[in-house]
Amino acid sequence: MLRSPPPEARHSPRTRSGAAARARRRRAAGRCLLATGHGAAHRPPPARRRPDGALCPQEIRKVVQALEQTAREILTLLQGVHQGAGFQDIPKKCQKAREHFGTVRTQLESLKTKFPADQYYRFHEHWRFVLQRLVFLAAFVVYLESETLVTREAVAEILGIEADRERGFHLDIEDYLSGVLTLASELARLAVNSVTAGDYSRPLRISTFINELDSGFRLLNLKNDSLRKRYDGLKYDVKKIEEVVYDLSIRGLNKEATVGVGGEK
């Protein structure tokens, strides 16, 4: 019967020197694998230019970063409508925002060349969030101009991309819906700031718009994903706007607004 060595033999200098030698041999073998290229399978392959001329993901990220910067510039411009004097400058701000969308179209045209046309969803996560932000900004501009909900086709035209999936770089339906839900949150804020600026009729119109938007989303069978969570936040926007309208009604401020709306009709 084989017997294990006594405890004192396990920690003898001879045993320790053997373990150290084995460790040195393993490290040397590892360096040999890396030097000969056999260990490269354990490292991610370097991004290279594709045979069809499409560039590496790093180039996609550069264009996306430029899109994010343009989106921030448009958002900063439109945030001025929440200020007291911003309501008088809405047409000018919308016009300037549409000029910025010209830059967005140029950047999206550049993005189309960075990956094969049939691999849209492979790289979709790179530009998904910035595209949703751009949808929101386009929807906000259209609402400020006409107080209507922009269609998916109209947003695609503003961004210079396709609405149909079969025609290449397109606006995904979930990205469009996410941008519209962000618009609802922005309009809830606009309703509060409208009262501060003395515009008592705008919250009533926003309330009607948001309620119709909420009714439309209720018809959709949304999956339990990020879009569903975004939709769950819509009820808080509806509640916030209803509270603004209620405060106007108990103070009698909505009567003047109602008369003004009736006079416009």
Side-chain angles (χ1 to χ4, degrees):
M1 178 182 297
L2 296 177
R3 297 182 179 179
S4 60
E8 59 273 11
R10 300 174 188 172
H11 304 285
S12 64
R14 183 176 180 180
T15 304
R16 289 196 296 270
S17 62
R22 288 192 295 271
R24 286 195 296 271
R25 287 195 295 270
R26 286 195 296 268
R27 288 195 294 269
R31 287 194 293 269
C32 291
L33 285 174
L34 291 177
T36 58
H38 294 292
H42 301 285
R43 295 176 297 174
R48 300 177 179 176
R49 186 181 294 270
R50 302 182 184 278
D52 58 358
L55 301 180
C56 59
Q58 285 80 0
E59 294 295 326
I60 295 178
R61 284 192 286 270
K62 289 181 182 179
V63 180
V64 170
Q65 289 173 357
L67 279 169
E68 290 172 346
Q69 177 60 33
T70 306
R72 285 191 292 268
E73 294 174 0
I74 298 175
L75 179 61
T76 302
L77 177 64
L78 294 178
Q79 288 301 298
V81 302
H82 294 286
Q83 301 174 0
F87 291 96
Q88 287 74 27
D89 297 334
I90 285 180
K92 294 181 179 179
K93 292 183 182 300
C94 291
Q95 180 62 33
K96 291 181 179 180
R98 285 190 174 273
E99 294 175 359
H100 280 78
F101 276 111
T103 303
V104 171
R105 287 191 290 270
T106 301
Q107 292 167 340
L108 286 174
E109 283 294 330
S110 176
L111 181 59
K112 296 176 185 179
T113 66
K114 305 304 182 184
F115 64 96
D118 58 346
Q119 297 186 17
Y120 176 89
Y121 285 102
R122 177 180 178 182
F123 301 99
H124 180 233
E125 288 299 323
H126 286 278
W127 59 77
R128 173 187 174 190
F129 293 105
V130 69
L131 196 59
Q132 292 175 2
R133 175 60 62 87
L134 291 170
V135 170
F136 150 63
L137 294 172
F140 194 27
V141 169
V142 172
Y143 179 83
L144 291 174
E145 291 175 340
S146 61
E147 296 190 358
T148 59
L149 177 63
V150 67
T151 63
R152 180 187 174 197
E153 291 74 15
V155 175
E157 183 178 356
I158 292 173
L159 301 181
I161 58 179
E162 301 293 340
D164 188 0
R165 175 177 178 177
E166 303 299 329
R167 301 181 64 179
F169 194 100
H170 62 282
L171 176 58
D172 186 79
I173 183 64
E174 292 191 2
D175 292 339
Y176 166 73
L177 294 176
S178 295
V180 170
L181 288 172
T182 306
L183 172 66
S185 300
E186 191 72 11
L187 292 182
R189 179 188 174 199
L190 184 63
V192 176
N193 293 326
S194 298
V195 176
T196 304
D199 187 352
Y200 303 133
S201 63
R202 189 179 297 273
L204 302 180
R205 302 195 301 272
I206 292 177
S207 177
T208 301
F209 177 85
I210 293 298
N211 284 325
E212 293 177 353
L213 185 65
D214 181 51
S215 299
F217 269 95
R218 289 178 183 275
L219 300 176
L220 301 178
N221 183 19
L222 300 177
K223 297 179 292 185
N224 190 20
D225 55 4
S226 59
L227 183 60
R228 174 71 191 194
K229 294 178 182 178
R230 296 281 295 276
Y231 166 66
D232 290 339
L234 180 59
K235 61 183 179 182
Y236 298 105
D237 298 325
V238 173
K239 182 179 179 182
K240 183 177 181 179
I241 297 173
E242 287 177 346
E243 290 176 351
V244 173
V245 175
Y246 174 74
D247 289 340
L248 290 175
S249 64
I250 63 176
R251 289 171 173 80
L253 298 176
N254 64 333
K255 295 180 180 179
E256 179 182 352
T258 304
V259 171
V261 173
E264 292 176 359
K265 293 181 179 179

